[in-house]
Amino acid sequence: MDSGFNDDFLEKELFGGDDDGLDGASMDVDDMMLTGQSVVAVEADLASAAAAADAVAAAAGNGVPEDDGRVRLERSRELHTAKLDIAMDDPPGELTLLQHPPRAQVGLADGVQGCSTFEVTPTMALVNPWQIYTVTATPNMRWLFTGGEDGYIKKWDFNATVNGKQLLTLGQRHSLVDSIAKAGVIASYWDHTDVVEGGVEMLSPVYSMAVHSQALWLVSGMKSGHIGLWSVRHDEGRRISLLSKHKKPVSVLRISPDEYGLVSGSWDRAVLYWDLNTGRLARGFAGHTSQISSIEFQPWSCEQYEAHLRSESVGGAEFDAQTTGPVLMTTSIDGQCLLWDVRAPKALPHPLDTPKKTPPWATSACWSRDGKRIYVGRRNNSVDEYEFGAGSLPVRTLRLPLNSGPVTALAAMANGRHLVCASADNVRVWDLEQPAERRSTVPFQVIPGHHGGTISSVFIDESSRYMLTPSGNRGWDGTSNGNNLGYELTP
């Protein structure tokens, strides 16, 4: 199966055309816009385009004359009306997140809260010869699910894996570090079948997944744009329904904190909120100009839900630390990061600006566990840190070694002090609160296990006892080393 694409296809998907000229790229901006009652901020930094400066400045009307008669281009933000090219359901579904409290979280392991460091030890390997695009698990880590380019959903017995019920062979351990001896214990698997034109069923790569907290059901993203709803606990592997609105592979799926809703993101640049009680669309988020790479809800507790019920104000394009409504963060592969107030369907998204001289790229972003900070991984070996409610520019940038490669996956640890960064060379745990007198030392520790290959995601369970790092390119650029490693975290 084709798990990636070439540079020409990447350029066409990101910038909307095959023409390398500036005129062609600017003419295709409107064609790349999606739908909805919102406005998209499209940034253009054309400072290096000296040859076309006069023409572009005349068209945009933002030229500033220099002393020698040349035109200097200013970095500008143009507003374009965006319309979602997806038919909304009538009547629409409900925004369930506003109607139900979030589910209770699993308690943290002893010693995690406030600990100064973690000992991260790789001990498990879930052997899989195919690229793994996505991984999800029940909050208590009883069952673990993986999916990828082979077109199968695999269910693993994580308790048996951690307890060492099955060990790796000498041949399997040959390329791994010495501490990895436990093999993944697979409980079952089923075909990830999709219905294509003519009613024909065929296997589809598993681009994304999310599972119910009690493993009653699971949702998966397909290449055609369908979202499959599968039964897990009863009549395992039976496809209950297909949600059909997206037109391209569904790259991200997130179950809402109340577990009655689902948010999906696709290569068609659309983000949709589904009411799982009815299977209807509740809202479309229009604003991205490229394929959706990550979706994360701001941490949303029962106390915040009660504060939302008491609040009568509805936020708009501006966010601050006192915002009581649920906030959704979405990123696209072109580097765009938007914040949405779920309560306000017609409000503009709040964009987080990309720093200058930063290439357009973002495959992963995450919230801190307290919901006050946002981290966005970039292609130029860096992670931008934003303060929620403190403006649109990053407050600092974490720089990885120059040879580390693009940051493909991020996850914040529960103590609020450490950030897991996965790049092409290694997995690192970054100390975000290193004292000033120690800044001459390396601010991160390298975690053994992975070396080379693209990490598709970093999964940390709610108790912060275990971490998983599957290898795969999610259908984009990069190679896989065929490893899905499990780590035990010790405060």
Side-chain angles (χ1 to χ4, degrees):
M1 298 181 182
D2 186 9
S3 59
F5 48 76
N6 57 32
D7 293 339
D8 293 336
F9 182 72
L10 175 64
E11 181 180 356
K12 182 177 181 180
E13 285 294 311
L14 293 185
F15 303 110
D18 296 326
D19 190 358
D20 293 331
L22 290 172
D23 291 339
S26 61
M27 290 173 62
D28 287 332
V29 168
D30 290 333
D31 295 335
M32 292 191 295
M33 297 297 102
L34 284 179
T35 40
Q37 305 297 325
S38 72
V39 174
V40 181
V42 180
E43 298 187 12
D45 189 358
L46 302 175
S48 62
D54 293 341
V56 177
N62 62 344
V64 179
E66 297 282 10
D67 294 338
D68 58 359
R70 291 179 301 168
V71 174
R72 175 169 53 88
L73 293 180
E74 296 290 343
R75 192 167 184 263
S76 64
R77 173 177 294 173
E78 300 177 0
L79 297 179
H80 298 265
T81 302
K83 294 184 178 180
L84 194 60
D85 191 21
I86 290 177
M88 300 298 294
D89 290 324
D90 187 17
E94 289 188 353
L95 285 171
T96 62
L97 184 60
L98 306 178
Q99 311 297 328
H100 306 279
R103 70 168 175 84
Q105 300 287 302
V106 174
L108 295 176
D110 294 339
V112 170
Q113 191 68 37
C115 72
S116 59
T117 186
F118 282 92
E119 180 181 348
V120 184
T121 307
T123 60
M124 300 164 277
L126 283 65
V127 179
N128 194 323
W130 300 87
Q131 297 206 41
I132 302 172
Y133 292 166
T134 177
V135 61
T136 186
T138 55
N140 62 0
M141 294 301 290
R142 179 65 180 90
W143 302 111
L144 173 71
F145 301 86
T146 61
E149 66 176 347
D150 59 348
Y152 293 93
I153 296 177
K154 297 181 176 68
K155 177 183 176 183
W156 305 80
D157 187 335
F158 193 75
N159 286 351
T161 301
V162 170
N163 292 327
K165 296 295 184 180
Q166 184 173 326
L167 300 179
L168 296 168
T169 65
L170 290 177
Q172 292 170 334
R173 294 186 62 182
H174 177 71
S175 61
L176 303 174
V177 296
D178 293 341
S179 61
I180 302 177
K182 303 172 184 177
V185 178
I186 190 167
S188 60
Y189 69 94
W190 63 85
D191 297 350
H192 188 241
T193 54
D194 188 13
V195 179
V196 297
E197 293 183 5
V200 179
E201 292 197 358
M202 62 180 299
L203 288 180
S204 168
V206 188
Y207 283 89
S208 54
M209 277 194 307
V211 66
H212 181 257
S213 61
Q214 301 298 320
L216 295 178
W217 46 264
L218 177 146
V219 288
S220 64
M222 301 179 176
K223 186 174 183 179
S224 65
H226 294 159
I227 299 172
L229 177 62
W230 306 87
S231 176
V232 177
R233 180 177 294 185
H234 309 289
D235 195 10
E236 184 179 273
R238 179 175 65 89
R239 190 178 63 230
I240 302 171
S241 179
L242 279 178
L243 305 179
S244 306
K245 288 292 184 180
H246 289 294
K247 301 177 180 179
K248 292 185 179 181
V250 180
S251 50
V252 191
L253 289 172
R254 288 291 180 269
I255 297 174
S256 61
D258 65 323
E259 296 200 308
Y260 290 95
L262 173 71
V263 180
S264 62
S266 170
W267 288 16
D268 61 11
R269 309 176 180 93
V271 178
L272 305 177
Y273 191 111
W274 301 82
D275 179 358
L276 292 179
N277 288 322
T278 62
R280 292 179 172 272
L281 282 183
R283 179 179 173 184
F285 300 86
H288 282 287
T289 58
S290 186
Q291 302 166 351
I292 306 302
S293 57
S294 68
I295 297 173
E296 292 288 344
F297 281 98
Q298 186 183 31
W300 177 242
S301 64
C302 292
E303 292 76 12
Q304 290 171 306
Y305 173 75
E306 293 171 358
H308 155 68
L309 295 180
R310 295 191 298 267
S311 175
E312 296 182 357
S313 61
V314 176
E318 299 300 327
F319 293 86
D320 54 44
Q322 285 72 42
T323 299
T324 61
V327 177
L328 183 68
M329 174 184 63
T330 59
T331 64
S332 51
I333 201 172
D334 62 355
Q336 196 176 24
C337 183
L338 301 178
L339 302 180
W340 308 83
D341 190 335
V342 178
R343 301 169 301 171
K346 295 186 179 181
L348 305 182
H350 178 80
L352 299 181
D353 294 339
T354 304
K356 291 185 177 181
K357 300 182 180 179
T358 298
W361 188 267
T363 59
S364 181
C366 70
W367 292 90
S368 62
R369 285 298 181 99
D370 59 6
K372 297 180 179 179
R373 289 171 291 176
I374 297 170
Y375 301 95
V376 182
R378 302 296 185 184
R379 190 178 181 89
N380 61 339
N381 325 308
S382 65
V383 178
D384 290 328
E385 178 183 331
Y386 299 83
E387 286 284 348
F388 179 68
S392 298
L393 292 174
V395 294
R396 65 170 168 172
T397 298
L398 311 178
R399 301 287 182 185
L400 276 68
L402 294 178
N403 61 347
S404 63
V407 178
T408 58
L410 294 171
M413 305 193 84
N415 64 347
R417 177 169 178 169
H418 293 91
L419 180 72
V420 181
C421 307
S423 50
D425 62 341
N426 283 305
V427 178
R428 296 173 172 83
V429 176
W430 199 288
D431 187 353
L432 301 171
E433 298 180 5
Q434 187 182 70
E437 60 270 15
R438 294 183 55 197
R439 286 181 182 171
S440 60
T441 63
V442 178
F444 55 80
Q445 59 173 319
V446 176
I447 306 304
H450 280 288
H451 185 73
T454 302
I455 307 299
S456 60
S457 64
V458 174
F459 180 89
I460 300 177
D461 76 305
E462 292 183 3
S463 67
S464 290
R465 296 179 60 192
Y466 306 105
M467 181 175 76
L468 295 162
T469 55
S471 180
N473 61 17
R474 299 174 62 192
W476 288 315
D477 192 20
T479 60
S480 171
N481 57 19
N483 292 326
N484 181 15
L485 302 184
Y487 306 77
E488 297 182 26
L489 308 179
T490 304

